[in-house]
Structure formats: structure tokens, C-alpha cells
């Protein structure tokens, strides 16, 4: 009886145990299905979120955040492959604080495991990073990382970059499902990146078109050339994200370029600088009529040693303003250190903008020439009318008065008529002088002061053993009278000759400036200085020239060596 009851109880427990196991298995499968459903839902949400971004930087950051959430990774990063296809040009991270990044140092360039994905763009899963042959450890202060999952991101069949995930939470390993989810996200990321790039390109084209329209409107509405050059520099710098923009134009009757305008970082040191066409970065772009790039101007031998240094700047591009034989100048753009070099995609619209600027400048000049011709023709007409009508009538009136004066017996009246005749003669002289002024043409005074200064500096190079740097600012050809310009040329020649004969210097700097009230010439060198008991006949001549014009000469000899000559004279006194 007891055995029968025990057998019955066993039969009851056995189905009960099987039922519990089945229920537990069912619950596990339900949980897995729910997890898969939630993960698919999360993946779809991530794809939609990433696809909505049109700003490229924000899109990349959203991709990294979504990847970390989807595979439950503590650290995530997206490395953008550079133009050379071998290194990472940008690195976006999640999970590492700014303080940690600062302690670790510069972002990785794509060596070790990161480089493995660059050279072999396929999904890679590792149980422990350090066990892979390509791994060679982490830098100091880097958080510990063991598990790893990486997948490439492709944009239009080209590898844009890679997603790197490390340290799956809970100490688990990345599995095939994680790899599948991340690969799906990478496909969506490629589409999102492509859309963001296309959007950026369209916005960039729009900005260039707006800049072209603004420049053309400014020139065709009568704007000054300086205003146009300022627009070229400002818009090019803003659109390309450059730290410094320099516009150099050819100096008439010379083989040099002069920096007429500079904006941005360190611009003051570049304004008025004179650069040779041969051997300089800007000169190469001018002579070849093609853009010229430099990965780092601070160590580029095409940047003259006498030029101001580009502190804090690196990558540069020099683009000609115009094309072929119609190059009017060069715009140089320099980016801050750490920024990427100028790509072909950036240079192409920049070159188009510069070419359009040259066309607009030429059209504006043609319009100004037509206006000038009309003005000169009008002057000629006025001069002819004055000569053929006014002078003849005045002359006839004078002759009549002179004849009538002989018949005037009253002495005082006769004297008054005589004075009137003299006044008429003087008036005729004034009108003749006015006619001469109306018919005078610009440029009759000869070469401008800027060109003369460049020639003097070039002629001094054989004596010095090197070419001096030259910087000029202000309306030198307009505000400085011919007499003062002659003295400036003579003083500069004497000063550079003295440097070459006595200073034993290997550098000389020339600066010529005017503010409309005075002209100031500064010549400095790094030689042995001027001894107290040395010959000063040359300096005496220079000082005498300054005194003749109401100016002064200062000679500064620092204790560390070298000398600086400052020759300055007023311009207002010359006008009086």
C-alpha cells in the first residue's frame, strides 16, 4: 500500500518538474524575443536619429553615441581616415572625459589595432586587445581596455572611417549579434555621412555664390579696390576656416608682390610686406597662375626668412586672383596649427571665387576707365571753350580798353583803365594755367615712390650680400610729394650702403610708412652697431636732408647689437 502511494507521488512530481523546466525555457525565449525586439527597436531609433543629422560633426557624434548604446559598450570612438588613406585625420569619442583626453595626449593616428582596421577594413572582434599581434599597448593614463569590436564605415564604396567599441559592460564579450547590429548601424551611418557631406557642399556653394555676388555688387557700384580686396580676404578666410588671409598685388614696374591687405591672426606683421616673385610661395602661385599648397608654412623654404613668422599657423594655400596672363594678385590662406591641410574640394571653389573676383575687378576698371575718358573729354571741351571763347573775348576787351585809354584825358580815369587792362592780362594768364591743368595727364611725374624703394632695395642686395626685407604702408605714391620722395630714395640708398659696408649684418629690414601727415623711413639691421668713434659722414648727410624738410633723424644702437635708423619728415610743411 505504501509503495503504491509513493509511486503515485513520484508520477505527480515528474510532470511538475518537466512543466517548470518548460515554463522556464519559455520565459527565457520570451525574454530573448523581447530583448531582440527591444534591440531592433533601438537600432531603428538609432538609424532614424543618425539619418536626421545634416551637420557632419553632429552626425559623427550621434553615430558614436548610438553605437555605444546598441552594443552596451563603455567606450566608443569613430576614427575618420585622412586623405592619404593611412592615418586618422579626426577622432570622436564617447566614455572618455575631457580631463582624461588631456592627460592621455594627442588623439591616435591609426597605429596598432586601429591601423589594422584601416589596412583591412573588415569587422574585427577580440576577446583581449593585448593578445592581438598588431597591439603594442596603450599610452600612459589610458583607461584599461580588453574586449574589442570594430567595423568599417563605407560611403559610396569608399571607407570613410571605423567604429571602435571596447569594454562591453558586465564583463561580457562582444558576440555575433553585437557585430551584426553594429554593421547595420555602420551602413546607416554611411548614408547619413554622405547626406551630411552633400548638404555641407551645397551650403558651401551657396556661401561662395553669395560672396561672389557681394564682391561684384561692391565693385560695380563704385567701391574702392581696397574695399574689394578686403571682401576677398574676409570671405575666403571665413568660408575656408583659415586663421590668416593675405592679399598680395604686383607692384608696378617691378618683379615683386606687395601685401596690400591682411586679416586674421598676426595680420599686422604682414601688411605692406614686399615679396619676390621668384622663390616665394605667393610668387609661385602668381607666376604659374595655379594654386600652390604648403603643409606647414613655418618650415617651408618658399617662405623668405625675412618674412614674419606664422606663429600658431601651419597649412596654407596660395590662389591666384585671375587666370593665365590675367593674374592680378594672389590670396594666401593659412590655417591654425592642428587643422587639416586644404583639400582639392576646398581649393576648387576658392579658385573659382578668385577668378570671378578678377573678372569683377576688370569690369570695374573698364567702367572707371570709361568714366575717366568721359571726364578727360569733358575737360578738353572746357579747355577749348576757355581758349577759343573766353580768352579771345578777354583779349579783345583788353585791346579795346587799351586803345580807348589813349583818348582819356582825365589822369585818374586813364590809370583805372590801365589797371583794368593789367587785370585782364592776369586773368588770361590764370585761365591759360587752368587750361594746362585740365589737359595734364596722370603719371607725368614718373615712377611712384613704392617702385623706387623696391629698386633701391634690389640694387643694394649685392652690397649687402642678401636681399633686405621691405614693408610699406600708406598712400606713399599719392601723399608724398616728389621732392620728399627724392630725399627718401637717397636716404634709403645711403642707409643700406652703410649697412653693407660697416655693419657686418646678415639681415636688414626696411619699413616706409605714411599717415598723410608725415613720412617715416626705418632701416634696421642685426650687425655690430655704430661705434661711438666711427665715421658719421653718411649719417650727417641723412640728418641734413631731414633738417631741410623740417624733420629729424634718430639712430638707435641697442646693447645687444644691431642698429635702427628712423628718418621722419612732415608732409604738411611741404604743402605749405
Amino acid at each position: 500500500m505504501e509503495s503504491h502511494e509513493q509511486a503515485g507521488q513520484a508520477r505527480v512530481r515528474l510532470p511538475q518538474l518537466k512543466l517548470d523546466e518548460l515554463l522556464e525555457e519559455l520565459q527565457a525565449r520570451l525574454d530573448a524575443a523581447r530583448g531582440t525586439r527591444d534591440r531592433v527597436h533601438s537600432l531603428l531609433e538609432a538609424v532614424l536619429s543618425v539619418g536626421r543629422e545634416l551637420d557632419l560633426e553632429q552626425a559623427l557624434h550621434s553615430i558614436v553615441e548610438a553605437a555605444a548604446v546598441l552594443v552596451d559598450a563603455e567606450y566608443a570612438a569613430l576614427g575618420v581616415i585622412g586623405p592619404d588613406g593611412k592615418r586618422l585625420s579626426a577622432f570622436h569619442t564617447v566614455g572618455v572625459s575631457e580631463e582624461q583626453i588631456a592627460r592621455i595626449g594627442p588623439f591616435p593616428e591609426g597605429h596598432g589595432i586601429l591601423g589594422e582596421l584601416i589596412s583591412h577594413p573588415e569587422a574585427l572582434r577580440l576577446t583581449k586587445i593585448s593578445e592581438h599581434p598588431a597591439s603594442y599597448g596603450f599610452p600612459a593614463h589610458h583607461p584599461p581596455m580588453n574586449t574589442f569590436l570594430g567595423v568599417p564605415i563605407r560611403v559610396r564604396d569608399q571607407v570613410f572611417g571605423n567604429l571602435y567599441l571596447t569594454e562591453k559592460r558586465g564583463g561580457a564579450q562582444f558576440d555575433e549579434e553585437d557585430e551584426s547590429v553594429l554593421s547595420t548601424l555602420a551602413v546607416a551611418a554611411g548614408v547619413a555621412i554622405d547626406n551630411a557631406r552633400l548638404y555641407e557642399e551645397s551650403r558651401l556653394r551657396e556661401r561662395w555664390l553669395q560672396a561672389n555676388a557681394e564682391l561684384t555688387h561692391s565693385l560695380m557700384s563704385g567701391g574702392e579696390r581696397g574695399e574689394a580686396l578686403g571682401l576677398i580676404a574676409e570671405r575666403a578666410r571665413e568660408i575656408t576656416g583659415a586663421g590668416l588671409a593675405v592679399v598680395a598685388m604686383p607692384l608696378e614696374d617691378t618683379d615683386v608682390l606687395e601685401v596690400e591687405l591682411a586679416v586674421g591672426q598676426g595680420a599686422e606683421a604682414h601688411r605692406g610686406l614686399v615679396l619676390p616673385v621668384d622663390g616665394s610661395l605667393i610668387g609661385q602661385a602668381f607666376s604659374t597662375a595655379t594654386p600652390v599648397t604648403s603643409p606647414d608654412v613655418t618650415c617651408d623654404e618658399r617662405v623668405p626668412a625675412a618674412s614674419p613668422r606664422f606663429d600658431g599657423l601651419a597649412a596654407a594655400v596660395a590662389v591666384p586672383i585671375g587666370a593665365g596672363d590675367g593674374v592680378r594678385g594672389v590670396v594666401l590662406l593659412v590655417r591654425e596649427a592642428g587643422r587639416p591641410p586644404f583639400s582639392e574640394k576646398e581649393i576648387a571653389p576658392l579658385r573659382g571665387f578668385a577668378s570671378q573676383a578678377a573678372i569683377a575687378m576688370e569690369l570695374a576698371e573698364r567702367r572707371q576707365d570709361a568714366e575717366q575718358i568721359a571726364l578727360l573729354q569733358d575737360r578738353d571741351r572746357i579747355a577749348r571753350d576757355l581758349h577759343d571763347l573766353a580768352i579771345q573775348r578777354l583779349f579783345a576787351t583788353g585791346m579795346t580798353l587799351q586803345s580807348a585809354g589813349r583818348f582819356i584825358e582825365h589822369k585818374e580815369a586813364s590809370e583805372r583803365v590801365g589797371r583794368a587792362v593789367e587785370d585782364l592780362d592776369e586773368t588770361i594768364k590764370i585761365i591759360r594755367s587752368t587750361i594746362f591743368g585740365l589737359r595734364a595727364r596722370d603719371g607725368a611725374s614718373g615712377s611712384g615712390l613704392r617702385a623706387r624703394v623696391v629698386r633701391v632695395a634690389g640694387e643694394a642686395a649685392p652690397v649687402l650680400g642678401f636681399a633686405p626685407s621691405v614693408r610699406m604702408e600708406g598712400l606713399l605714391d599719392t601723399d608724398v610729394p616728389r621732392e620728399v620722395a627724392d630725399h627718401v630714395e637717397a636716404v634709403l640708398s645711403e642707409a643700406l650702403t652703410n649697412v653693407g659696408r660697416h655693419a657686418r649684418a646678415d639681415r636688414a629690414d626696411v619699413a616706409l610708412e605714411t599717415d598723410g601727415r608725415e613720412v617715416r623711413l626705418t632701416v634696421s639691421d642685426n650687425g655690430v652697431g655704430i661705434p661711438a668713434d666711427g665715421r658719421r659722414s653718411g649719417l650727417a648727410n641723412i640728418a641734413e636732408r631731414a633738417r631741410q624738410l623740417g624733420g629729424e633723424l634718430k639712430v638707435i644702437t641697442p646693447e645687444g647689437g644691431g642698429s635702427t635708423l628712423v628718418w621722419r619728415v612732415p608732409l604738411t610743411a611741404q604743402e605749405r
Side-chain angles (χ1 to χ4, degrees), residues 492-505:
L492 177 59
S493 178
E494 180 72 24
L496 290 177
T497 300
N498 287 341
V499 172
R501 289 177 178 174
H502 310 297
R504 299 202 294 275

Side-chain angles (χ1 to χ4, degrees), residues 392-456:
Q392 297 304 323
R393 289 193 178 188
L394 288 172
F395 186 74
T397 303
M399 292 290 291
T400 303
L401 287 174
Q402 195 172 20
S403 298
R406 292 197 297 268
F407 299 102
I408 299 174
E409 297 180 356
H410 193 283
K411 182 180 179 180
E412 186 176 346
S414 178
E415 289 176 352
R416 286 189 178 184
V417 170
R419 285 197 297 269
V421 172
E422 291 175 358
D423 289 343
L424 285 173
D425 286 341
E426 190 63 32
T427 302
I428 290 172
K429 290 178 182 178
I430 293 172
I431 294 176
R432 288 186 186 279
S433 177
T434 302
I435 292 171
F436 179 79
L438 286 171
R439 287 177 170 168
R441 296 291 185 267
D442 295 335
S445 58
S447 299
L449 178 56
R450 289 175 178 270
R452 294 165 69 182
V453 167
V454 170
R455 279 198 296 271
V456 170

Side-chain angles (χ1 to χ4, degrees), residues 143-199:
M145 295 180 180
N146 292 299
T147 55
F148 176 86
L149 173 59
V151 296
I153 298 175
R154 287 180 169 84
V155 177
R156 295 177 181 263
D157 298 327
Q158 290 187 346
V159 179
F160 172 83
N162 296 303
L163 276 171
Y164 307 108
L165 287 301
T166 62
E167 292 301 290
K168 189 174 178 69
R169 298 183 187 277
Q173 297 289 327
F174 293 110
D175 53 24
E176 291 183 3
E177 189 176 346
D178 292 326
E179 182 179 324
S180 176
V181 167
L182 201 61
S183 297
T184 304
L185 178 66
V187 173
V191 175
I193 291 167
D194 193 28
N195 289 337
R197 276 179 162 180
L198 291 173
Y199 178 72

